[in-house]
Amino acid sequence: MVDEIKKGLQVTMQINIEKVDQIIGKYQEDSSALIRLLQEINREFRYLPKEALLRVAEKLDIPLSQLYSMATFYKSFKLTPSGQHEIHVCMGTACHVRGAQKILDTLTQKLHILPGETTADGQYTLETVNCLGACALGPLVTIDGKYTGKLKPKDAEKLVGGLYEKNSESS
Ligand code: FES
């Protein structure tokens, strides 16, 4: 079972294991803080790298299968790296009736990825959510937490195009 889990966890980059140890050190004394520990690792690396989970399991003497269960139960944890920028498309009822599906279709075509995936260049991760709590602004998209509402498919296309242009200017 553990071997299957180890195989299932993807390794796509070298991680700073000292950073993982620092984070473990902060929470080591508090056994109830496991979720916060994993959240901090997830924030630091933008996902839960296999090496980090193995290190937590080893240092805190916790079965890897337990960590893996937590990582897959909570939607905020990722087992593959997120892009530099996270795009969330609201698919809640209010946004749906105002054309959220067309916005999502536009973004999947423009970025060549499906929801839950990251572009090959590691720049963008596309996610869907059920409600962003600002239904009057639907259809609504957030990019790195910034809200852009009342979107039309053309606007969504420009939004992503603009991000790519901005990125190539800064590189
Ligand atoms: S349904 Fe989209 S913000 Fe509420």
Side-chain angles (χ1 to χ4, degrees), residues 95-111:
C95 288
H96 182 75
V97 297
R98 293 182 178 132
Q101 186 61 53
K102 282 189 181 151
I103 301 297
L104 182 62
D105 292 344
T106 303
L107 291 172
T108 56
Q109 282 163 20
K110 186 88 184 167
L111 295 169

Side-chain angles (χ1 to χ4, degrees), residues 19-45:
K19 186 71 204 173
V20 176
D21 285 347
Q22 268 175 28
I23 296 171
I24 293 172
K26 273 167 71 177
Y27 298 97
Q28 202 151 23
E29 302 303 316
D30 184 359
S31 59
S32 66
L34 191 53
I35 289 189
R36 278 186 284 135
L37 188 163
L38 294 181
Q39 282 170 334
E40 190 163 339
I41 292 174
N42 197 79
R43 249 195 322 275
E44 175 69 27
F45 298 102

Side-chain angles (χ1 to χ4, degrees), residues 37-124:
L37 188 163
L38 294 181
Q39 282 170 334
E40 190 163 339
I41 292 174
N42 197 79
R43 249 195 322 275
E44 175 69 27
F45 298 102
R46 300 200 313 276
Y47 78 116
L48 294 172
K50 172 188 156 188
E51 290 92 338
L53 289 179
L54 287 169
R55 191 72 159 194
V56 172
E58 180 196 327
K59 289 237 169 191
L60 301 185
D61 198 21
I62 294 171
L64 184 62
S65 56
Q66 186 185 331
L67 297 177
Y68 184 72
S69 296
M70 290 171 78
T72 51
F73 181 78
Y74 294 99
K75 202 172 180 253
S76 58
F77 292 134
K78 293 183 186 308
L79 291 170
T80 53
S82 293
Q84 293 284 339
H85 304 285
E86 290 200 41
I87 302 173
H88 287 94
V89 181
C90 181
M91 298 302 287
T93 308
C95 288
H96 182 75
V97 297
R98 293 182 178 132
Q101 186 61 53
K102 282 189 181 151
I103 301 297
L104 182 62
D105 292 344
T106 303
L107 291 172
T108 56
Q109 282 163 20
K110 186 88 184 167
L111 295 169
H112 303 288
I113 52 172
L114 294 171
E117 294 180 345
T118 298
T119 53
D121 61 3
Q123 286 298 309
Y124 302 103

Side-chain angles (χ1 to χ4, degrees), residues 90-95 130-135 138 140:
C90 181
M91 298 302 287
T93 308
C95 288
N130 289 329
C131 181
L132 287 162
C135 307
L140 183 60

